[in-house]
mmCIF file of all heavy atoms in Angstrom:
data_model
loop_
_atom_site.group_PDB
_atom_site.id
_atom_site.type_symbol
_atom_site.label_atom_id
_atom_site.label_comp_id
_atom_site.label_asym_id
_atom_site.label_seq_id
_atom_site.Cartn_x
_atom_site.Cartn_y
_atom_site.Cartn_z
ATOM 1 N N LYS A 424 5.489 -0.353 10.261
ATOM 2 C CA LYS A 424 5.900 -1.435 9.291
ATOM 3 C C LYS A 424 7.291 -1.621 9.193
ATOM 4 O O LYS A 424 7.818 -2.676 8.622
ATOM 5 C CB LYS A 424 5.333 -1.138 7.855
ATOM 6 C CG LYS A 424 3.819 -1.145 7.913
ATOM 7 C CD LYS A 424 3.383 -0.764 6.445
ATOM 8 C CE LYS A 424 1.806 -0.870 6.319
ATOM 9 N NZ LYS A 424 1.255 -0.378 5.147
ATOM 10 N N SER A 425 8.101 -0.605 9.693
ATOM 11 C CA SER A 425 9.641 -0.690 9.417
ATOM 12 C C SER A 425 10.458 -0.379 10.619
ATOM 13 O O SER A 425 11.690 -0.601 10.498
ATOM 14 C CB SER A 425 9.912 0.415 8.316
ATOM 15 O OG SER A 425 9.101 0.292 7.210
ATOM 16 N N ARG A 426 9.955 0.144 11.789
ATOM 17 C CA ARG A 426 10.766 0.808 12.647
ATOM 18 C C ARG A 426 11.938 -0.050 13.187
ATOM 19 O O ARG A 426 12.987 0.368 13.289
ATOM 20 C CB ARG A 426 9.853 1.156 13.919
ATOM 21 C CG ARG A 426 10.558 2.077 14.810
ATOM 22 C CD ARG A 426 9.519 2.641 15.979
ATOM 23 N NE ARG A 426 10.033 3.724 16.536
ATOM 24 C CZ ARG A 426 9.328 4.595 17.239
ATOM 25 N NH1 ARG A 426 7.939 4.532 17.310
ATOM 26 N NH2 ARG A 426 9.822 5.687 17.891
ATOM 27 N N TYR A 427 11.590 -1.313 13.486
ATOM 28 C CA TYR A 427 12.576 -2.095 14.278
ATOM 29 C C TYR A 427 13.327 -3.156 13.333
ATOM 30 O O TYR A 427 14.049 -4.027 13.624
ATOM 31 C CB TYR A 427 12.045 -2.758 15.383
ATOM 32 C CG TYR A 427 11.500 -1.834 16.428
ATOM 33 C CD1 TYR A 427 10.172 -1.842 16.771
ATOM 34 C CD2 TYR A 427 12.379 -0.967 17.085
ATOM 35 C CE1 TYR A 427 9.637 -0.867 17.562
ATOM 36 C CE2 TYR A 427 11.920 -0.045 18.014
ATOM 37 C CZ TYR A 427 10.522 -0.028 18.251
ATOM 38 O OH TYR A 427 10.089 0.969 19.096
ATOM 39 N N ASN A 428 13.050 -3.044 11.995
ATOM 40 C CA ASN A 428 13.697 -3.927 11.020
ATOM 41 C C ASN A 428 15.230 -3.956 11.064
ATOM 42 O O ASN A 428 15.927 -4.947 10.956
ATOM 43 C CB ASN A 428 13.252 -3.706 9.655
ATOM 44 C CG ASN A 428 11.990 -4.419 9.337
ATOM 45 O OD1 ASN A 428 11.477 -5.226 10.102
ATOM 46 N ND2 ASN A 428 11.302 -4.317 8.165
ATOM 47 N N PRO A 429 15.867 -2.746 11.179
ATOM 48 C CA PRO A 429 17.287 -2.747 11.261
ATOM 49 C C PRO A 429 17.863 -3.467 12.387
ATOM 50 O O PRO A 429 18.757 -4.170 12.320
ATOM 51 C CB PRO A 429 17.637 -1.207 11.380
ATOM 52 C CG PRO A 429 16.482 -0.519 10.684
ATOM 53 C CD PRO A 429 15.278 -1.343 11.084
ATOM 54 N N GLN A 430 17.201 -3.393 13.707
ATOM 55 C CA GLN A 430 17.669 -4.232 14.819
ATOM 56 C C GLN A 430 17.507 -5.642 14.619
ATOM 57 O O GLN A 430 18.347 -6.500 14.860
ATOM 58 C CB GLN A 430 16.860 -3.714 15.994
ATOM 59 C CG GLN A 430 17.245 -2.257 16.519
ATOM 60 C CD GLN A 430 16.340 -1.251 15.870
ATOM 61 O OE1 GLN A 430 15.944 -1.302 14.742
ATOM 62 N NE2 GLN A 430 15.929 -0.331 16.733
ATOM 63 N N VAL A 431 16.257 -6.025 14.011
ATOM 64 C CA VAL A 431 16.015 -7.422 13.735
ATOM 65 C C VAL A 431 17.020 -7.992 12.769
ATOM 66 O O VAL A 431 17.624 -9.112 13.034
ATOM 67 C CB VAL A 431 14.640 -7.583 13.141
ATOM 68 C CG1 VAL A 431 14.390 -8.961 12.655
ATOM 69 C CG2 VAL A 431 13.516 -7.267 14.196
ATOM 70 N N ALA A 432 17.363 -7.253 11.692
ATOM 71 C CA ALA A 432 18.264 -7.737 10.715
ATOM 72 C C ALA A 432 19.646 -7.922 11.258
ATOM 73 O O ALA A 432 20.465 -8.890 10.929
ATOM 74 C CB ALA A 432 18.183 -6.863 9.475
ATOM 75 N N GLU A 433 20.052 -6.993 12.136
ATOM 76 C CA GLU A 433 21.401 -7.147 12.649
ATOM 77 C C GLU A 433 21.459 -8.386 13.537
ATOM 78 O O GLU A 433 22.602 -9.057 13.485
ATOM 79 C CB GLU A 433 21.612 -5.899 13.656
ATOM 80 C CG GLU A 433 23.034 -5.832 14.158
ATOM 81 C CD GLU A 433 23.297 -4.606 15.066
ATOM 82 O OE1 GLU A 433 22.380 -3.810 15.137
ATOM 83 O OE2 GLU A 433 24.452 -4.444 15.463
ATOM 84 N N ILE A 434 20.487 -8.706 14.321
ATOM 85 C CA ILE A 434 20.488 -9.836 15.245
ATOM 86 C C ILE A 434 20.562 -11.067 14.302
ATOM 87 O O ILE A 434 21.381 -11.978 14.527
ATOM 88 C CB ILE A 434 19.285 -9.931 16.027
ATOM 89 C CG1 ILE A 434 19.279 -8.685 17.083
ATOM 90 C CG2 ILE A 434 19.134 -11.269 16.721
ATOM 91 C CD1 ILE A 434 18.004 -8.624 17.860
ATOM 92 N N VAL A 435 19.748 -11.216 13.270
ATOM 93 C CA VAL A 435 19.564 -12.450 12.376
ATOM 94 C C VAL A 435 20.892 -12.592 11.567
ATOM 95 O O VAL A 435 21.394 -13.714 11.462
ATOM 96 C CB VAL A 435 18.448 -12.304 11.384
ATOM 97 C CG1 VAL A 435 18.343 -13.484 10.483
ATOM 98 C CG2 VAL A 435 17.166 -12.343 12.268
ATOM 99 N N ASN A 436 21.401 -11.525 11.033
ATOM 100 C CA ASN A 436 22.638 -11.660 10.154
ATOM 101 C C ASN A 436 23.940 -12.013 10.969
ATOM 102 O O ASN A 436 24.934 -12.487 10.356
ATOM 103 C CB ASN A 436 22.863 -10.229 9.577
ATOM 104 C CG ASN A 436 21.856 -10.008 8.371
ATOM 105 O OD1 ASN A 436 21.214 -10.854 7.880
ATOM 106 N ND2 ASN A 436 21.593 -8.708 8.106
ATOM 107 N N GLN A 437 23.970 -11.871 12.205
ATOM 108 C CA GLN A 437 25.072 -12.332 13.060
ATOM 109 C C GLN A 437 24.987 -13.763 13.280
ATOM 110 O O GLN A 437 26.058 -14.370 13.789
ATOM 111 C CB GLN A 437 25.077 -11.533 14.342
ATOM 112 C CG GLN A 437 25.516 -10.068 14.197
ATOM 113 C CD GLN A 437 25.348 -9.272 15.488
ATOM 114 O OE1 GLN A 437 24.920 -9.836 16.510
ATOM 115 N NE2 GLN A 437 25.880 -8.062 15.432
ATOM 116 N N ALA A 438 23.808 -14.477 13.098
ATOM 117 C CA ALA A 438 23.694 -15.784 13.399
ATOM 118 C C ALA A 438 24.452 -16.639 12.238
ATOM 119 O O ALA A 438 24.403 -16.189 11.143
ATOM 120 C CB ALA A 438 22.223 -16.200 13.539
ATOM 121 N N LYS A 439 24.756 -17.934 12.493
ATOM 122 C CA LYS A 439 25.493 -18.737 11.555
ATOM 123 C C LYS A 439 24.595 -19.336 10.470
ATOM 124 O O LYS A 439 24.823 -19.337 9.289
ATOM 125 C CB LYS A 439 26.309 -19.721 12.270
ATOM 126 C CG LYS A 439 27.484 -19.217 13.024
ATOM 127 C CD LYS A 439 28.307 -20.303 13.725
ATOM 128 C CE LYS A 439 29.520 -19.781 14.482
ATOM 129 N NZ LYS A 439 30.322 -20.853 15.129
ATOM 130 N N ASN A 440 23.427 -20.001 10.993
ATOM 131 C CA ASN A 440 22.710 -20.739 10.040
ATOM 132 C C ASN A 440 21.125 -20.506 10.502
ATOM 133 O O ASN A 440 20.492 -21.408 10.849
ATOM 134 C CB ASN A 440 22.981 -22.230 10.060
ATOM 135 C CG ASN A 440 22.140 -23.003 9.092
ATOM 136 O OD1 ASN A 440 21.812 -22.467 7.958
ATOM 137 N ND2 ASN A 440 21.837 -24.225 9.294
ATOM 138 N N PRO A 441 20.691 -19.212 10.269
ATOM 139 C CA PRO A 441 19.400 -18.843 10.919
ATOM 140 C C PRO A 441 18.217 -19.244 9.929
ATOM 141 O O PRO A 441 18.334 -19.237 8.674
ATOM 142 C CB PRO A 441 19.522 -17.363 11.016
ATOM 143 C CG PRO A 441 20.343 -16.993 9.949
ATOM 144 C CD PRO A 441 21.396 -18.113 9.761
ATOM 145 N N LEU A 442 17.048 -19.387 10.582
ATOM 146 C CA LEU A 442 15.739 -19.573 9.870
ATOM 147 C C LEU A 442 14.750 -18.641 10.539
ATOM 148 O O LEU A 442 14.650 -18.543 11.837
ATOM 149 C CB LEU A 442 15.355 -21.042 10.003
ATOM 150 C CG LEU A 442 13.816 -21.305 9.528
ATOM 151 C CD1 LEU A 442 13.769 -21.230 8.119
ATOM 152 C CD2 LEU A 442 13.228 -22.683 9.996
ATOM 153 N N ILE A 443 13.993 -17.975 9.701
ATOM 154 C CA ILE A 443 13.020 -17.073 10.266
ATOM 155 C C ILE A 443 11.670 -17.557 9.869
ATOM 156 O O ILE A 443 11.310 -17.956 8.735
ATOM 157 C CB ILE A 443 13.139 -15.624 9.579
ATOM 158 C CG1 ILE A 443 14.451 -14.996 10.043
ATOM 159 C CG2 ILE A 443 12.062 -14.762 10.051
ATOM 160 C CD1 ILE A 443 14.690 -13.716 9.477
ATOM 161 N N VAL A 444 10.751 -17.772 10.902
ATOM 162 C CA VAL A 444 9.455 -18.254 10.784
ATOM 163 C C VAL A 444 8.559 -17.039 10.915
ATOM 164 O O VAL A 444 8.723 -16.345 11.811
ATOM 165 C CB VAL A 444 9.106 -19.424 11.735
ATOM 166 C CG1 VAL A 444 7.637 -19.892 11.450
ATOM 167 C CG2 VAL A 444 10.062 -20.494 11.554
ATOM 168 N N SER A 445 7.499 -16.957 10.042
ATOM 169 C CA SER A 445 6.595 -15.801 10.151
ATOM 170 C C SER A 445 5.291 -16.040 9.411
ATOM 171 O O SER A 445 5.206 -16.810 8.505
ATOM 172 C CB SER A 445 7.203 -14.545 9.619
ATOM 173 O OG SER A 445 6.350 -13.369 9.911
ATOM 174 N N ASP A 446 4.251 -15.268 9.974
ATOM 175 C CA ASP A 446 2.949 -15.400 9.195
ATOM 176 C C ASP A 446 2.535 -13.878 8.787
ATOM 177 O O ASP A 446 1.367 -13.566 8.711
ATOM 178 C CB ASP A 446 1.893 -15.971 9.904
ATOM 179 C CG ASP A 446 1.714 -15.486 11.354
ATOM 180 O OD1 ASP A 446 2.370 -14.506 11.701
ATOM 181 O OD2 ASP A 446 0.770 -15.845 12.043
ATOM 182 N N LYS A 447 3.560 -12.939 8.728
ATOM 183 C CA LYS A 447 3.321 -11.575 8.188
ATOM 184 C C LYS A 447 2.974 -11.550 6.705
ATOM 185 O O LYS A 447 3.439 -12.503 5.980
ATOM 186 C CB LYS A 447 4.281 -10.634 8.587
ATOM 187 C CG LYS A 447 4.618 -10.564 10.102
ATOM 188 C CD LYS A 447 3.417 -10.181 10.979
ATOM 189 C CE LYS A 447 3.020 -8.720 10.661
ATOM 190 N NZ LYS A 447 1.941 -8.252 11.510
ATOM 191 N N ILE A 448 2.244 -10.502 6.301
ATOM 192 C CA ILE A 448 1.925 -10.475 4.802
ATOM 193 C C ILE A 448 3.185 -10.279 3.893
ATOM 194 O O ILE A 448 4.230 -9.769 4.489
ATOM 195 C CB ILE A 448 0.949 -9.295 4.634
ATOM 196 C CG1 ILE A 448 1.570 -8.004 5.104
ATOM 197 C CG2 ILE A 448 -0.339 -9.662 5.232
ATOM 198 C CD1 ILE A 448 0.573 -6.818 4.912
ATOM 199 N N PRO A 449 3.182 -10.511 2.624
ATOM 200 C CA PRO A 449 4.420 -10.498 1.780
ATOM 201 C C PRO A 449 5.110 -9.182 1.924
ATOM 202 O O PRO A 449 6.355 -9.194 1.975
ATOM 203 C CB PRO A 449 3.805 -10.648 0.424
ATOM 204 C CG PRO A 449 2.596 -11.469 0.583
ATOM 205 C CD PRO A 449 1.937 -10.987 1.925
ATOM 206 N N GLY A 450 4.445 -7.924 1.913
ATOM 207 C CA GLY A 450 5.188 -6.656 1.977
ATOM 208 C C GLY A 450 6.041 -6.603 3.132
ATOM 209 O O GLY A 450 7.203 -6.020 3.138
ATOM 210 N N ILE A 451 5.557 -7.021 4.307
ATOM 211 C CA ILE A 451 6.384 -6.985 5.539
ATOM 212 C C ILE A 451 7.527 -7.925 5.403
ATOM 213 O O ILE A 451 8.661 -7.493 5.769
ATOM 214 C CB ILE A 451 5.444 -7.421 6.715
ATOM 215 C CG1 ILE A 451 4.270 -6.435 6.881
ATOM 216 C CG2 ILE A 451 6.303 -7.465 7.900
ATOM 217 C CD1 ILE A 451 4.633 -5.037 7.305
ATOM 218 N N MET A 452 7.400 -9.080 4.814
ATOM 219 C CA MET A 452 8.545 -9.985 4.779
ATOM 220 C C MET A 452 9.516 -9.491 3.646
ATOM 221 O O MET A 452 10.611 -9.776 3.794
ATOM 222 C CB MET A 452 7.956 -11.427 4.371
ATOM 223 C CG MET A 452 7.018 -11.949 5.474
ATOM 224 S SD MET A 452 7.877 -11.961 7.123
ATOM 225 C CE MET A 452 9.304 -12.962 6.778
ATOM 226 N N PHE A 453 9.039 -8.968 2.558
ATOM 227 C CA PHE A 453 9.962 -8.431 1.579
ATOM 228 C C PHE A 453 10.749 -7.315 2.236
ATOM 229 O O PHE A 453 12.075 -7.391 1.898
ATOM 230 C CB PHE A 453 9.114 -7.857 0.399
ATOM 231 C CG PHE A 453 8.561 -8.780 -0.543
ATOM 232 C CD1 PHE A 453 7.193 -8.678 -0.964
ATOM 233 C CD2 PHE A 453 9.276 -9.881 -1.036
ATOM 234 C CE1 PHE A 453 6.709 -9.535 -2.003
ATOM 235 C CE2 PHE A 453 8.661 -10.775 -1.954
ATOM 236 C CZ PHE A 453 7.398 -10.657 -2.298
ATOM 237 N N SER A 454 10.214 -6.493 3.045
ATOM 238 C CA SER A 454 11.015 -5.362 3.486
ATOM 239 C C SER A 454 12.093 -5.845 4.459
ATOM 240 O O SER A 454 13.260 -5.407 4.382
ATOM 241 C CB SER A 454 10.021 -4.521 4.319
ATOM 242 O OG SER A 454 10.736 -3.419 4.952
ATOM 243 N N LEU A 455 11.735 -6.781 5.329
ATOM 244 C CA LEU A 455 12.857 -7.418 6.234
ATOM 245 C C LEU A 455 13.795 -8.047 5.319
ATOM 246 O O LEU A 455 15.007 -7.919 5.556
ATOM 247 C CB LEU A 455 12.192 -8.429 7.194
ATOM 248 C CG LEU A 455 13.225 -9.054 8.036
ATOM 249 C CD1 LEU A 455 13.939 -8.198 8.947
ATOM 250 C CD2 LEU A 455 12.492 -10.169 8.900
ATOM 251 N N SER A 456 13.437 -8.836 4.343
ATOM 252 C CA SER A 456 14.303 -9.671 3.521
ATOM 253 C C SER A 456 15.404 -8.791 2.855
ATOM 254 O O SER A 456 16.567 -9.248 2.688
ATOM 255 C CB SER A 456 13.583 -10.465 2.548
ATOM 256 O OG SER A 456 12.741 -11.398 3.158
ATOM 257 N N HIS A 457 15.109 -7.595 2.462
ATOM 258 C CA HIS A 457 16.105 -6.816 1.780
ATOM 259 C C HIS A 457 17.178 -6.397 2.734
ATOM 260 O O HIS A 457 18.251 -5.877 2.276
ATOM 261 C CB HIS A 457 15.352 -5.538 1.246
ATOM 262 C CG HIS A 457 14.637 -5.670 -0.074
ATOM 263 N ND1 HIS A 457 15.297 -5.755 -1.206
ATOM 264 C CD2 HIS A 457 13.429 -5.840 -0.384
ATOM 265 C CE1 HIS A 457 14.463 -5.997 -2.204
ATOM 266 N NE2 HIS A 457 13.291 -6.025 -1.772
ATOM 267 N N SER A 458 17.012 -6.484 4.133
ATOM 268 C CA SER A 458 18.069 -6.205 5.025
ATOM 269 C C SER A 458 18.737 -7.418 5.536
ATOM 270 O O SER A 458 19.726 -7.224 6.284
ATOM 271 C CB SER A 458 17.404 -5.444 6.206
ATOM 272 O OG SER A 458 16.907 -4.170 5.826
ATOM 273 N N LEU A 459 18.358 -8.607 5.042
ATOM 274 C CA LEU A 459 18.948 -9.802 5.544
ATOM 275 C C LEU A 459 20.093 -10.313 4.506
ATOM 276 O O LEU A 459 20.083 -9.991 3.308
ATOM 277 C CB LEU A 459 17.875 -10.948 5.538
ATOM 278 C CG LEU A 459 16.818 -10.612 6.660
ATOM 279 C CD1 LEU A 459 15.818 -11.774 6.568
ATOM 280 C CD2 LEU A 459 17.398 -10.521 8.046
ATOM 281 N N ASN A 460 20.946 -11.178 5.066
ATOM 282 C CA ASN A 460 22.004 -11.764 4.238
ATOM 283 C C ASN A 460 21.295 -12.810 3.328
ATOM 284 O O ASN A 460 20.295 -13.423 3.675
ATOM 285 C CB ASN A 460 23.011 -12.486 5.112
ATOM 286 C CG ASN A 460 23.815 -11.657 5.953
ATOM 287 O OD1 ASN A 460 24.044 -10.466 5.575
ATOM 288 N ND2 ASN A 460 24.281 -12.081 7.135
ATOM 289 N N PRO A 461 21.770 -12.907 2.171
ATOM 290 C CA PRO A 461 21.131 -13.831 1.102
ATOM 291 C C PRO A 461 20.966 -15.215 1.477
ATOM 292 O O PRO A 461 20.077 -15.910 1.126
ATOM 293 C CB PRO A 461 22.106 -13.696 -0.072
ATOM 294 C CG PRO A 461 22.800 -12.388 0.057
ATOM 295 C CD PRO A 461 23.059 -12.290 1.545
ATOM 296 N N ASP A 462 21.887 -15.740 2.474
ATOM 297 C CA ASP A 462 21.785 -17.121 2.817
ATOM 298 C C ASP A 462 20.903 -17.462 3.998
ATOM 299 O O ASP A 462 20.754 -18.546 4.521
ATOM 300 C CB ASP A 462 23.088 -17.765 3.164
ATOM 301 C CG ASP A 462 23.843 -16.888 4.224
ATOM 302 O OD1 ASP A 462 23.419 -15.868 4.642
ATOM 303 O OD2 ASP A 462 24.995 -17.304 4.705
ATOM 304 N N VAL A 463 20.205 -16.355 4.532
ATOM 305 C CA VAL A 463 19.191 -16.580 5.593
ATOM 306 C C VAL A 463 18.042 -17.245 4.957
ATOM 307 O O VAL A 463 17.707 -16.981 3.730
ATOM 308 C CB VAL A 463 18.827 -15.330 6.145
ATOM 309 C CG1 VAL A 463 17.637 -15.376 7.202
ATOM 310 C CG2 VAL A 463 20.031 -14.611 6.949
ATOM 311 N N HIS A 464 17.405 -18.095 5.739
ATOM 312 C CA HIS A 464 16.191 -18.924 5.189
ATOM 313 C C HIS A 464 14.877 -18.410 5.820
ATOM 314 O O HIS A 464 14.884 -18.025 6.940
ATOM 315 C CB HIS A 464 16.416 -20.478 5.366
ATOM 316 C CG HIS A 464 17.396 -21.034 4.427
ATOM 317 N ND1 HIS A 464 18.698 -20.789 4.457
ATOM 318 C CD2 HIS A 464 17.174 -21.822 3.329
ATOM 319 C CE1 HIS A 464 19.439 -21.412 3.494
ATOM 320 N NE2 HIS A 464 18.429 -22.075 2.727
ATOM 321 N N LEU A 465 13.822 -18.473 5.040
ATOM 322 C CA LEU A 465 12.463 -18.103 5.552
ATOM 323 C C LEU A 465 11.490 -19.358 5.410
ATOM 324 O O LEU A 465 11.662 -20.053 4.496
ATOM 325 C CB LEU A 465 12.010 -17.012 4.582
ATOM 326 C CG LEU A 465 12.855 -15.758 4.394
ATOM 327 C CD1 LEU A 465 12.265 -14.830 3.431
ATOM 328 C CD2 LEU A 465 13.052 -15.007 5.710
#
Side-chain angles (χ1 to χ4, degrees):
K424 296 176 179 176
S425 310
R426 188 168 201 164
Y427 301 112
N428 274 355
Q430 293 92 316
V431 169
E433 183 178 4
I434 294 170
V435 174
N436 288 336
Q437 289 175 351
K439 291 184 178 180
N440 187 30
L442 171 70
I443 297 179
V444 180
S445 184
D446 57 357
K447 299 303 290 184
I448 58 178
I451 299 292
M452 296 308 300
F453 284 137
S454 179
L455 175 64
S456 298
H457 278 284
S458 298
L459 297 175
N460 293 333
D462 57 351
V463 173
H464 285 72
L465 307 172

